[in-house]
Amino acid sequence: MAVSMAFMQEELDRMKREGLYGNIRTLTGPQGARIEIDGKRYLNLCSNNYLGLANDPRVCRRAKEIIDRYGVGPGAVRTIAGTMDIHLELERKLARFKGTEAAITVQSGFCGNLAVMPTVTGEGDLIFSDALNHASIIDACRLSKAKTLRYEHSNIDDLRAKLKEHASAPGRRLIVTDGVFSMDGDIAKLPEIVAAAEEFGAMVAVDDAHGEGVLGRGGRGIVDHFGLHGRVDIEIGTMSKAFGVVGGIVAGSATLVDFLRQKARPNLFSSAMTVPDVAANMAAIEIMEESDELVRKLWDNGRYLKAEMKKHGFDVGSSETPITPVIVGEAQTAKDFSAALFERGVFATAIVFPTVPKGTARIRVMVSAAHSREDLDEGVALFASVGRELGIVG
Ligand SMILES: *Cc1c(COP(=O)(O)O)cnc(C)c1O
C-alpha cells in the first residue's frame, strides 16, 4: 500500500484496540423475525423492518411482476433520461398516504435530507437543529451554506431562546428535527416546534424515518399523529424502515416538490430508485392503506416487550414508541451482553458511545409486527438470564 494510505490501516488498528471496530454480520437469507447467519437461525431484534414487509409475499410479487414490464433500472437521472410513470405514481400514493399535496422520491432517506437542507437554505440563512438529530440531517446541514445552531434535545425553551436571539437576523430560518429519536424512541414535540416556527417565521422540516408506518392512523406518520396537517412545511422520510424496501421521501406542498425537482442535487445528479423498489413500495403502501392490522400488532408487541422487560427489572428508558432500549450502562457490559445473547441465538446489537451518551450503553431492541408472542417470550427469557449472569438484574 502506498505510504500515503497507511493512515487507514493505523486507524483500523486503533479502532480494533479500542473496541470500536464494528463486526458486520452476514445474513444468508431474508430479513424477518428469524434470520440466518452463517447457516444458523437467530431471533432477530435489530432490524427497522417494523411491519415485517421486507419479505412479505405481496410486496415481493409486485417487484417481480414489474420487472417484466419496465426492466430494472431508470437509465439516468430523471431530468435527463425522463421519468418513468411508475415513479410518479408512487409519489402520488405517498402524498395521499401522508396527506400532503405532493411528494418526491429520492434514493434513500439519507438523500432525502441532502435534497432538503442545502436546497431550501443557503448563505446567510439559519438552521435550528435538535442536538440528537440523525447523522444524515447533520451532514445535510453541513452541506448547506447556512449557519447551523444546535438546540438542546427536545428543549423548546432553548429552541425559542435561539429563535428569539436571531429574530432580527436577515435570511431564512429552518427548524429541523427527527420525528422519532431512534436511540431512545422518544417523539419530537412537534406541536410546540410548529408553534414556535409560526411565531418566529421559520420553516419546519421533520425527518419521519422512524414514524412512517409506526405513528399516526394506520402508520401515516408523525404529522398525522399530532393532527398537524398543513402546518409542517417539509416531511422527509424513508421507505427502508416500515415500508421494508429502500428509498427516500420528501413530502409537502406542490411548490416545495416542484422546487426540489428543479433544484435538489440528489434529483439532478443521481438516478431515480430502481424499478422493483418502486413497485415494492407501492405494494407496501397499499397494504398499509388496506388495514392497520400490522401497525396495531407492532404496537401490541412493543407494549408487551417493554412490560415484560420491566418485570425482570430492566431499565427500558422513556421510549414512547415500539423502540425498546435496554440500558445497561458501560460500553463493555453492553457488548458482553450482546455477545452472550448471540451465543444463545438472539441477534441484538450493542449501541455505545458516541452513538449514545457515555454510561448509557444499551441493547436497542427492535420489535416488529412479524414477531409472535413466542418470539418475544423467548427473547425476554434470554435477556433475563444474561442480565442475571452479568449482574444487571436480580
Ligand atoms: C434511518 C434514518 C435515515 C436514513 O434512511 P435511509 O433510507 O436508510 O437512508 C435518515 N434519517 C433518520 C432519522 C433515520 O432514522
Side-chain angles (χ1 to χ4, degrees):
M1 197 189 293
V3 174
S4 58
M5 302 278 276
F7 74 94
M8 293 184 192
Q9 196 57 53
E10 284 162 19
E11 173 67 5
L12 289 166
D13 291 343
R14 184 192 67 82
M15 290 170 75
K16 284 178 187 161
R17 271 198 311 278
E18 295 177 9
L20 299 173
Y21 184 87
N23 173 19
I24 301 173
R25 307 279 184 192
T26 305
L27 277 62
T28 45
Q31 274 290 350
R34 305 273 169 168
I35 48 172
E36 192 185 290
I37 298 172
D38 295 328
K40 202 178 149 205
R41 304 279 290 166
Y42 289 84
L43 174 63
N44 182 15
L45 295 177
C46 286
S47 103
N48 296 326
N49 176 24
Y50 282 113
L51 302 179
L53 293 175
N55 190 33
D56 187 288
R58 295 165 289 183
V59 174
C60 298
R61 196 179 324 119
R62 283 284 280 284
K64 286 180 205 160
E65 281 166 7
I66 199 114
I67 290 173
D68 289 336
R69 292 168 49 214
Y70 282 82
V72 289
V77 299
R78 296 166 83 176
T79 49
I80 293 174
T83 184
M84 289 174 170
D85 56 356
I86 54 170
H87 290 79
L88 298 174
E89 190 187 338
L90 172 61
E91 289 164 348
R92 281 193 297 272
K93 275 188 193 299
L94 285 166
R96 193 179 62 207
F97 184 69
K98 297 190 74 79
T100 59
E101 276 178 18
I104 179 173
T105 56
V106 287
Q107 304 75 20
S108 67
F110 201 114
C111 289
N113 280 310
L114 299 188
V116 170
M117 263 61 86
T119 318
V120 306
T121 64
E123 190 88 52
D125 297 335
L126 291 169
I127 302 175
F128 301 83
S129 176
D130 187 287
L132 291 190
N133 275 344
H134 188 263
S136 60
I137 297 179
I138 297 170
D139 286 10
C141 291
R142 287 185 185 142
L143 215 46
S144 163
K145 294 200 175 71
K147 183 171 174 200
T148 300
L149 302 161
R150 261 162 56 119
Y151 62 90
E152 283 171 32
H153 173 51
S154 279
N155 183 335
I156 304 302
D157 290 339
D158 190 40
L159 168 63
R160 293 182 71 92
K162 289 194 160 64
L163 284 164
K164 199 164 180 183
E165 191 187 328
H166 296 90
S168 60
R172 292 192 281 268
R173 281 152 250 274
L174 170 70
I175 306 170
V176 60
T177 182
D178 270 30
V180 174
F181 292 87
S182 58
M183 293 304 147
D184 291 290
D186 54 322
I187 302 175
K189 295 175 181 159
L190 202 55
E192 285 102 315
I193 291 172
V194 166
E198 286 169 351
E199 187 178 330
F200 289 95
M203 299 178 280
V204 175
V206 63
D207 181 344
D208 204 18
H210 284 276
E212 281 142 357
V214 178
L215 295 177
R217 289 167 302 158
R220 281 169 176 74
I222 190 168
V223 171
D224 190 81
H225 171 79
F226 284 119
L228 289 170
H229 295 285
R231 290 175 66 197
V232 175
D233 305 289
I234 305 168
E235 290 179 59
I236 298 146
T238 181
M239 291 171 271
S240 69
K241 290 178 176 137
F243 288 54
V245 194
V246 78
I249 309 165
V250 186
S253 70
T255 306
L256 167 78
V257 169
D258 199 16
F259 183 73
L260 296 179
R261 282 194 203 286
Q262 296 297 321
K263 296 183 82 80
R265 291 165 78 84
N267 191 52
L268 301 186
F269 298 103
S270 189
S271 297
M273 297 168 63
T274 74
V275 168
D277 289 338
V278 169
N281 280 310
M282 284 201 249
I285 297 172
E286 286 164 22
I287 290 168
M288 288 188 264
E289 283 185 331
E290 230 170 74
S291 158
D292 64 358
E293 188 189 324
L294 292 174
V295 179
R296 281 192 283 115
K297 175 108 186 281
L298 167 70
W299 281 86
D300 281 349
N301 279 351
R303 274 189 288 268
Y304 180 75
L305 184 86
K306 273 186 217 158
E308 291 298 305
M309 290 286 192
K310 272 191 208 162
K311 268 192 215 160
H312 285 283
F314 285 111
D315 174 4
V316 294
S318 51
S319 170
E320 301 169 84
T321 60
I323 294 173
T324 306
V326 175
I327 300 166
V328 300
E330 294 312 311
Q332 196 54 52
T333 313
K335 285 184 184 161
D336 293 345
F337 204 117
S338 173
L341 286 171
F342 195 72
E343 268 170 31
R344 279 160 235 214
V346 180
F347 185 36
T349 313
I351 296 181
V352 301
F353 180 82
T355 308
V356 293
K358 283 197 169 129
T360 71
R362 65 198 62 189
I363 310 290
R364 185 185 57 163
V365 182
M366 301 300 280
V367 293
S368 75
H371 289 98
S372 65
R373 270 294 143 88
E374 295 72 44
D375 290 331
L376 300 181
D377 287 339
E378 182 185 327
V380 169
L382 291 168
F383 261 77
S385 69
V386 172
R388 280 192 298 272
E389 275 168 37
L390 295 178
I392 294 159
V393 293

